[in-house]
Amino acid sequence: METEDDLCQNNWGSASILDYEMAMEEGESDLQVFKASSGQDNNGQANVDVLQGVKAQAWDPRTMLSNLSFMEHKIHELQGLVHLIIGRNGQLQDEQQQLITTDLTSIIIQLISTAGSLLPSVKHHHNMSTTAPGSALFPYPREANNLASQTLNTNCGDLDLPKPIVLEEVHEMKNEDDAEEGENLPPGSYEIKQLEKEEILAPHTNFCTICGKGFKRDANLRMHMRGHGDEYKTPAALAKPNKESLPGSEPMLIKRYSCPFPGCKRNKDHKKFQPLKTILCVKNHYKRTHCDKSFTCSRCHTKKFSVIADLKTHEKHCGKNKWLCSCGTTFSRKDKLFGHIALFQGHTPAIPLEETKPSAGASSSQSGSSGCNNAGMVSFNLGSATNANQETSQPGFMDGKINFEEPFSPLSFDTCNFGGFPRSIFDDSESSFQMLISSACGCSHINGGDGSDSNTSV
Amino acid sequence: MKKAKQIQHSKPFDLLSEELVFIILDLVAQNPSDLKSFSLTCKWFYQVESKHRRSLKPLRPEYLPRILTRYRNTSDLDLTFCPRVTDYALSVVGCLSGPTLRSVDLSRSFSFSAAGLLRLAVKCVSLVEIDLSNATEMRDAAAAVVAEAKSLERLKLERCKKLTDMGIGCIAVGCRKLKRVSLKWCVGVGDLGVGLLALKCKDLRTLDLSYLPVTGKCLHDVLKLQHLEQLLLQGCFGVDDDTLQSLTHHCNSLKNLDASSCQNLTQRGLASLLSGAGCLERLDLAHSSSVISLDFASSLNKVSALQSIRLDGCSVTCDGLKAIGTLCVSLREVSLSKCVTVTDEGLSSLVVKLKGLRKLDITCCRKLSGASITQVANSCPLLVSLKMESCSLVSREAFWLIGHKCRLLEELDFTDNEIDDEGLKSISTCLSLSSLKLGICLNITDRGLSYIGMGCSNLRELDLYRSVGITDIGISSIAQGCCHLETINISYCKDITDKSLVSLSKCSLLQTFESRGCPHITCQGLATIAVRCKRLTKLDLKKCPYINDSGLLTLAHFSQGLKQISVSETGVTDVGLVSLANIGCLQNIAAVNTRGLSPSGVAAALVGCGGLRKVKLHASLRSLLPPSLINHMEARGCAFLWKDYNNNNNNNTLQAELDPKYWKLQLEEDIML
C-alpha cells in the first residue's frame, strides 16, 4: 500500500501539471472536476479488508496504528503539495491555484476526520471515519494521475469525468441515502467540489480521449470507444466504472457540490452554505438561478425557463385542462375552480366554446418552439463551440456521418441539447414534442436529430 | 241571413261569464274528444276553449306554430310525442308562448341544440320546469344555456351522459331557485358538480343522483341542505363507508332516501347516513350487498318514524326482519320482493308488529307458505296492496283468509298462485279492489271470476294471462260488473272467442287490451271493441291467426287514439298495415312473422305513420327495405327492432304454447336452468 501511495505521490507533481496544460490546450475545464477516480479499483479490494477490520474491532490497536500511519502519510503528502506550490508559485494560474487549495482543503478534512476516528467517543460514520484508511489511499493526486493516463490512451475504460447520467446519479444518490440521514451533513463530513461556469454549461462532459468527441453520458462514450479498437471491447472496459467497486464504494467520501456563483447560498463561501447533491443539481441550479431564462413557452408566451426540461414540463400542462371561471381566472385543477366558484357569488364555470382548432394551434406552437430553439442556441454556443472545433479539427477519426453533419454542427449541438439532455432526465412521452420540433425546423434539424441519435447510439 | 240567425242564437251565451265556462271546461277536460266537440260548437266556444287550455301535447312539431297561436295561454308543453324538435321549433315555442310557458318536456325529443334552448330560456321568462332527459348528445355548452332560465325550479337531466361538472356548475350558479333536480345516469357528473349544486341551490327539495360516479364527499354538502326531502342514490358505487365515515348532519327535512344497489355501502356507512335523518319516512335498500341481519337492522334505530322500507333482492335473515318490526313499528309499506331467503318465521315476526301495514310486496318469496300469509291477514287489517306473485307454496285457505280479513284491499297480485274460486269469492268482498292479477292461476274458473264481476265494481285492471280455466262466461260477467275496466289481459286463454270481445266492448273506458295467442278471436270481435272503446291505446293481437286486414281497417277508422299495436303472426297483409297510417298517434308497431307483408307494403306503412317511435320487424326485412328509408325513419326518431325468430311458427308450436301443462313444464325447466 505504501509503495502504491508513493507511486501516486511521485506521479502527482508532474502528471497533474501536464494535465492542466492539456486542459488549457483543449479549452476544457473538465479537469477541475474532482471525483473519486476509478483508480480506487486497485485499492478497493485491499481496502475492504481494512474496512472490515475497522468495523469488527474498532478498538484494535492495529487499526489505530494504521490510522496513525495514514495520518503521517497524509502529512507527507501535504508537505509535498506545499513544496510544489512554493516551487511553482509564480507560474501557477488562478485555476490551478484554486485547484491546489481545494486539494489541500480536502486532504486536511480527511486528516481531521481520521484523527477524529481515533477518539473513542466519535461515532462511526459510514462516510469518513470508518472508511478513512481506505479512502485515504486514493487522494486527489490520483485523479490527476488518472487523467494523465487518459490522455495517454492507456486507461480509457476508466475514464472518469463527471457523469450527468440519470441511472448513475440515481445510483449514487441511493448510496448516499444509505450512508446519511437527512441533508444536514456536518460541515467537513463531505468533500466539496466546485465546477466552473463553462463546465456547467458545457453540453458534454465525457470526451473521447482519441478523437475528442463529446458525450453526455459515460455509457455512450464507452459504446463509442468500442470503435477505437478491440481493447475497448472487453467486458472490463465496457463495464460501468463504479460498478466493480460498488461494495467498496462506501469508503468514498460523500461528495457535495458548490455553485461557482459568488454570493449564492449554494456557494461554499456563503455563511449558510447548503451544498448541492449531484452534478445534475449543480447544472439545473446554475441555469435556473444564474442564467437568463431564454426558453419561452410556445403556448402562453409568458412563462420563461432557463432549463429546457422545465419548459417541457410546463408546456405539457400549459393551456391544457385550463379550468376557466367566468371572471377570467384560470385554474389548473377542477376542484380549485369549483372551490373558487363556491366562494364567489355570480361566478360561473366558463365552458370553452369548442376545442381550439388543432391545426392552428399546432402551427403556432411549432413556430414558437423553433423560435425558442434559436434562442436556446445562443446560450449554449459558448460551451458547444469548442466541441465543434474539436470535432472538426479531427475529421480523420470520424465516420462519414459526422463529417456530413459538420456544416450543421452548431445546430446539431443545439438539438442535442434540446432533445437529448432533458430526455435523459424526463425520459417520458416527450418524444412527440421532439418530433414536432425536428419537423418544424426543417431538414437541417432532421440532420441534427440524426446527430443526436448518433450520440446516443454510438 | 243564416249568419245573422247564428249570432242571435249565440246571444244567450253572452250572459254566461267566461269564468263559468272555464269551470265547465275543467269538468269536460277529462275527455279530449269532448273538448274537441265543445270547441267545434261555435266560434265563441272555440275562443273560450283556446283561452282555457293550459297544457298541450302535440303529436307533430309541424303543428306547433298553429296550435300555439290558437292556445295563447299554454303553460305546459309536452313534446314527448315529437321525436324531432328542431331549434326552429323551439324558437317558435319561445316566440309564441314565451311569457306564459312554465313547463316544457323535451325528454323524448332530439335534434335541438344549445341555440334552440337559448331561445327558449331567454324568451320564456317564467319557465319553471324543463325536462331534458335522454339528450345524450347534450354538452356543457347547452347546460350553460339552460342556466339562463333563472326561474327554473324543476330540472330533469336524466341520461345526459356528456354533461360534466362544468355544465352542472353553470346550472347551479344560474338557476338558484331549483327545487327538484334529477341527474340520473349523468355519468360525467361527479362530486364537484353535485357539491356546487348543493352549495348554490339552497332550496333543493329533491335530488336524484342515481348512477352518478359520486362518492360520499358530495353528500357532506348535500345533506346540509335545509329543505332536502328526497335523495336518490340508486346505484352509486362510489358511495362507500369510508367516504361517509366523518359524515355528521342534521337533515331533519329528509323524508325519502333511496340507497338501492349501492354495492359498497354497508351497515357502517348507512348508519352515518341515517344518523341525522330522524324524520326519514321512506328508505330503499333494494339490492344491497350486505345481509339484512340483526346488526344491520340495528342501524335503523335512528329512523323509527320510517313508514316505508324496500329490501328487494337482499338476503334477509329472520332476526333482521324481527328487529325491523321492533324498531320501526310505524311501517306502512314493506317490500321484500325477490328476497329468496325470507321464511315464514321471519315474515310472521315482522308483520305481527306492524298493525298499520298498508302495502306488502313478497313477490317471488318462494319459501313462504300459508302460515305467514295467515299471519299477514290476521295482523294487518288495513292492508291495501298485496303482491305475492309466485308464492306457489301458499295454500288455498290463506287466500280465503286474506279476502275475509283485509277488506280495504285495492291491489292484488296473485300471479302464479294456487288461488281457487273460493279464494276469489272471498276476495270479491273487497269492494275497492281496482287491480287484480290472476295470471297463471290454473285453479280459477268462470265461477270465481263471476264473483269478482259481481263484487268489485271498481276494478280497473284485470290480468288473466294464461289462466286457462276462463271462458267467455267469466269475461262477460266481468264486463257486466266492472264498467270502469281500463286494462285487461286475456293472453293465451285459449277458449276465449268473439263473444268475450263483444261483451268487453261495454267497458267504454278500456285502454289496454291484450289477447295474445287467442286462436278463436276474429275481426268481428275486434270491430266491436274498436267501435265502442274509443280510448283504446294499446292492443296486442299477436298470434291471433284470424285477425286480418278488415280488423285493422276498422281499427284505423275508429280507434284514433291507438298508440301501440302488435300484429305479429296474424293474417294481416300490406293493406291492413298501410291503413294504420290513418291513426295519427300510433307510436309502436310490431309486425314480425306476418306472412302477408311485403317489403313495399311495410315501407309504405312506415312512411305513412308519421309519429312512429318504435317498429319491430323481422330481420329479413332489414336487407329488403331500402337503406335510405331506414335512415329516414331513424332521422324522424323511429327505432327499429329486428327480430330473428326461427321460422317454425306452425300450428303445432302454437298448440304446444296453448297447452298450459306443457308450457308450465317448460317454464319450470327454464327456472331450474
Side-chain angles (χ1 to χ4, degrees), chain A residues 334 338 341-342 344 348-349, chain B residues 140 165-166 170 173 176 199-200:
Chain A
K334 190 159 73 161
F338 276 73
I341 289 165
F344 294 98
T348 69
Chain B
D140 289 337
D165 288 332
M166 299 293 277
C170 289
V173 174
R176 304 297 282 269
L199 216 64
K200 294 282 181 183

Side-chain angles (χ1 to χ4, degrees), chain B residues 2-71:
Chain B
K2 262 190 178 176
K3 259 189 183 173
K5 250 187 183 176
Q6 270 179 357
I7 290 163
Q8 274 184 346
H9 277 299
S10 67
K11 261 187 179 174
F13 290 117
D14 289 344
L15 301 171
L16 202 63
S17 72
E18 263 187 9
E19 286 74 24
L20 282 175
V21 182
F22 281 177
I23 292 168
I24 295 168
L25 276 173
D26 283 338
L27 299 170
V28 174
Q30 285 163 6
N31 194 347
S33 56
D34 295 348
L35 270 185
K36 195 177 175 185
S37 330
F38 179 87
S39 61
L40 291 177
T41 310
C42 67
K43 275 190 179 175
W44 190 69
F45 274 22
Y46 183 87
Q47 282 166 6
V48 170
E49 203 270 334
S50 336
K51 276 187 197 167
H52 174 258
R53 193 186 286 230
R54 308 258 162 198
S55 67
L56 286 181
K57 199 172 180 183
L59 292 172
R60 304 277 192 284
E62 301 91 88
Y63 305 155
L64 273 175
R66 279 170 60 196
I67 56 171
L68 289 179
T69 323
R70 176 174 164 188
Y71 299 106

Side-chain angles (χ1 to χ4, degrees), chain A residues 19-49:
Chain A
D19 240 23
Y20 295 146
E21 281 161 7
M22 289 277 297
M24 303 307 285
E25 273 175 21
E26 290 180 9
E28 288 293 314
S29 48
D30 287 314
L31 298 176
Q32 286 180 18
V33 179
F34 292 113
K35 242 189 147 185
S37 77
S38 54
Q40 76 196 49
D41 296 353
N42 309 329
N43 304 324
Q45 286 177 334
N47 293 337
V48 170
D49 299 338

